[in-house]
Amino acid sequence: MAYSCPVVGTGAISSAGKGAENGYRNILKGESFLSPLSLFKWNSGEKPLVGEISDFDKSSSYSRTEALATNAVEEAIADIDLSALKVGIIVATTIGGVDQLEKEYHSTGAESAAAGKDRYVRNEAGALSGFLAKKFNCNGFHTVSSACSSGLHAIGMARRLIETKQYDAVITVGSDALLKLTLNGFNSLLLIDPKGPHPFDADRLGISIGEAAGAVLLMSNEAAEKRAENPLCYITGWGATADAFHITAPHPDGDGAKRAITEALEDSGIKADDIDWILTHGTSTIDNDRAEIEALKSVFNDKLPPFTSIKGSIGHTLSASGSVEIVYAIEAIKAGEIPPTLGFTKIDPEIGVAPAKAGKLKLNTVLKTAFGFGGNNGALIISGEKK
Amino acid sequence: MKLSILSFGAVIPSTEENWQDELAVAIKRRTPKIWQMSHLAAARAIEQSDKKPTAVICGTTHGALNESAKFIDKLSKNDLGSPRQFLFSVHNNMAGKIALDFNIKGANITLCDSHTSLASAIITATLLKDEVVLLVAAEEHLDVLDEIYKDHDSKKLSTTPKEGAVALILTKEDISGVLKISATPPKPTACEGKAEYSSFFKPVFTMLNAIEAKEGCLIKSFSLSAEASATVTIEL
């Protein structure tokens, strides 16, 4: 029987705003939260559009990624009694504290000496988790760095850790800040669209990078019942696969993505017909969107559920994308309303289908997908009720 | 949960001068050293195992940090970074390349928990639906860290191998007569150990010695950077 793991708290911060509900309500308005880069100097012509967060509390954190994660976790655990529970934390991050390495390369010798060893220590992705674990009194931690599918893997792992009774509760948080390394890196791969993303659109050219953090607090059914915590939803299925096809390009038939989705459905004990809505990875790159739709068509045949991408609103937030978008998907279930796919106007003949229009939709069971470099695929099923 | 160790492979450049001779030219010429070491360790482990893994779990503290450093160095000089360096700098692309090289299509997850990554990787392997998992631990020598750690732990800097890769084929099946491996999750603690240069590779190197000696052992790993500790147990 499938294990339904309660979600009892969520937190999010993205360019759409601070707070899970606030950010989602802003996304529902259909506005873009992308703007020309201002966080650091840009040497490659016109400033790209990015999902930059201007106003958030950085006071108790060393790196920008840590500060974003802290904001999201504080919201997720607010007012929830975690005392006497064995609590773990799983952090999903691509870049960790690489901003410290960037600072080192732009420092004078004196500045570098003053920063000392800490700058290198905080560069490690695992250091982020260790410090967050201490900050939030957790008993153990793990750091997943599996590119853009990290956030979904972190939640899938947390569910299994609770199912196997290794923890009573697990905080998962995906966090990636905007960095020179990632923005210039994607630019070097010619994957940035200067006009912003147009997911699934015939004229899409690439992504916009954003920054975000999303936190999800999972708890065992026993602990949630004992504390009278009313679950927001349940995590009911997880799929994790590899394409084994190409180091950056997805399998053109969406083979790995299809297997991840099928695995998540099987793990959840439900049929494809039970999915009410899909919050896609939908990056707006030519290859990703085409491969993702191929995968969805092969799983759902001619009964493709409504699907959406929110990367046109907040950009691609890398390792944080799975986490923050799951939080927004939970908000969608609560609101009974799905957002627009900002940037989409014209059907791509190679894709042949259009994303769903924004509006009211009764949601019970939602599929979230995420795919990353290295041919790494993740799929997660969330449900408004226990399976 | 204890996992049975079906086979293992290792590459320690300081003890094996011609290790790159076994690599295909394309891998030797076009990929960073950490990818080369992990590829060869995986190949050796897979060759020794009668069961093919369906999932890859990789652990590394820094990944190909040398490539990240080169990329960022170029940016700091107002130059454009190379796409190849960016690709190499992404931690989990090493795991993706292993999946590609050995056609392993199940879960593919990379853990980065400093010295305690081995414990994290073992625990992650127990959470998968895949029954047979290839676990790869790899770390490469980083010039930039030599400078940082030389004042902190100079004795170990000269005596501990600085880089290498170990691969294990693990199964959930309880097989009698073979070594089993298990771990406790990394815990944030007041650090009891000292920072050591070789980060993840140090506990993995200790484990390798235990497996080669066919002896059980308890490895305690401490990470100053994450102020964490974890234990890995190897027993019959």
Side-chain angles (χ1 to χ4, degrees), chain A residues 128-166:
Chain A
L128 173 64
S129 322
F131 284 103
L132 287 173
K134 287 189 85 170
K135 193 181 274 185
F136 295 106
N137 297 315
C138 298
N139 303 89
F141 68 90
H142 301 283
T143 311
V144 180
S145 190
S146 292
C148 308
S149 52
S150 304
L152 295 194
H153 292 329
I155 297 170
M157 285 167 59
R159 168 174 168 260
R160 295 258 166 92
L161 284 166
I162 290 172
E163 183 182 9
T164 53
K165 301 192 184 305
Q166 296 183 61

Side-chain angles (χ1 to χ4, degrees), chain A residues 117 280 366:
Chain A
K117 187 165 66 62
T280 63
V366 171

Side-chain angles (χ1 to χ4, degrees), chain A residues 246-264:
Chain A
H246 189 274
I247 209 66
T248 53
H251 192 290
D253 298 335
D255 171 63
K258 175 192 169 185
R259 286 184 287 105
I261 296 165
T262 304
E263 191 177 306

Side-chain angles (χ1 to χ4, degrees), chain A residues 256-271:
Chain A
K258 175 192 169 185
R259 286 184 287 105
I261 296 165
T262 304
E263 191 177 306
L265 289 169
E266 287 171 2
D267 190 33
S268 193
I270 61 170
K271 300 188 296 293

Side-chain angles (χ1 to χ4, degrees), chain A residues 98-342:
Chain A
V98 171
D99 55 343
Q100 301 306 308
L101 189 65
E102 289 184 350
K103 278 184 187 166
E104 183 62 23
Y105 273 90
H106 291 80
S107 297
T108 63
E111 284 167 347
S112 179
K117 187 165 66 62
D118 272 359
R119 183 167 281 175
Y120 291 92
V121 165
R122 297 288 186 141
N123 172 70
E124 292 179 15
L128 173 64
S129 322
F131 284 103
L132 287 173
K134 287 189 85 170
K135 193 181 274 185
F136 295 106
N137 297 315
C138 298
N139 303 89
F141 68 90
H142 301 283
T143 311
V144 180
S145 190
S146 292
C148 308
S149 52
S150 304
L152 295 194
H153 292 329
I155 297 170
M157 285 167 59
R159 168 174 168 260
R160 295 258 166 92
L161 284 166
I162 290 172
E163 183 182 9
T164 53
K165 301 192 184 305
Q166 296 183 61
Y167 290 103
D168 303 310
V170 178
I171 302 163
T172 67
V173 58
S175 183
D176 264 340
L178 205 54
L179 276 191
K180 289 174 191 164
L181 174 68
T182 45
L183 194 52
N184 283 279
F186 280 99
N187 192 49
S188 74
L189 293 170
L190 307 177
L191 289 176
I192 303 278
D193 185 343
K195 292 178 184 162
H198 300 74
F200 305 111
D201 189 82
D203 297 327
R204 71 189 181 282
L205 286 174
I207 62 177
S208 284
I209 302 284
E211 59 184 350
V216 176
L217 173 61
L218 294 91
M219 192 177 274
S220 70
N221 285 286
E222 298 77 14
E225 281 164 21
K226 211 170 179 177
R227 280 160 174 71
E229 292 293 349
N230 197 18
L232 301 169
C233 71
Y234 296 85
I235 305 295
T236 64
W238 173 41
T241 65
D243 277 357
F245 171 74
H246 189 274
I247 209 66
T248 53
H251 192 290
D253 298 335
D255 171 63
K258 175 192 169 185
R259 286 184 287 105
I261 296 165
T262 304
E263 191 177 306
L265 289 169
E266 287 171 2
D267 190 33
S268 193
I270 61 170
K271 300 188 296 293
D273 289 356
D274 295 324
I275 297 294
D276 299 315
W277 178 53
I278 304 165
L279 185 51
T280 63
H281 192 49
T283 58
S284 184
T285 66
I286 292 168
D287 289 344
N288 173 84
D289 289 7
R290 189 169 50 208
E292 182 164 14
I293 293 297
E294 283 299 314
L296 293 175
K297 283 179 177 173
S298 65
V299 173
F300 293 97
N301 298 312
D302 56 350
K303 293 181 180 171
L304 189 59
F307 67 92
T308 304
S309 165
I310 57 170
K311 289 188 172 68
S313 307
I314 62 170
H316 187 355
T317 60
L318 308 179
S319 270
S321 66
S323 307
V324 76
E325 292 184 20
I326 274 285
V327 173
Y328 292 147
I330 292 167
E331 290 297 322
I333 293 175
K334 280 165 59 183
E337 188 171 0
I338 62 171
T341 298
L342 217 61

Side-chain angles (χ1 to χ4, degrees), chain B residues 115-131:
Chain B
H115 287 58
T116 56
S117 296
L118 177 61
S120 251
I122 292 165
I123 289 165
T124 302
T126 70
L127 302 176
L128 304 178
K129 84 168 193 33
D130 300 88
E131 290 292 320

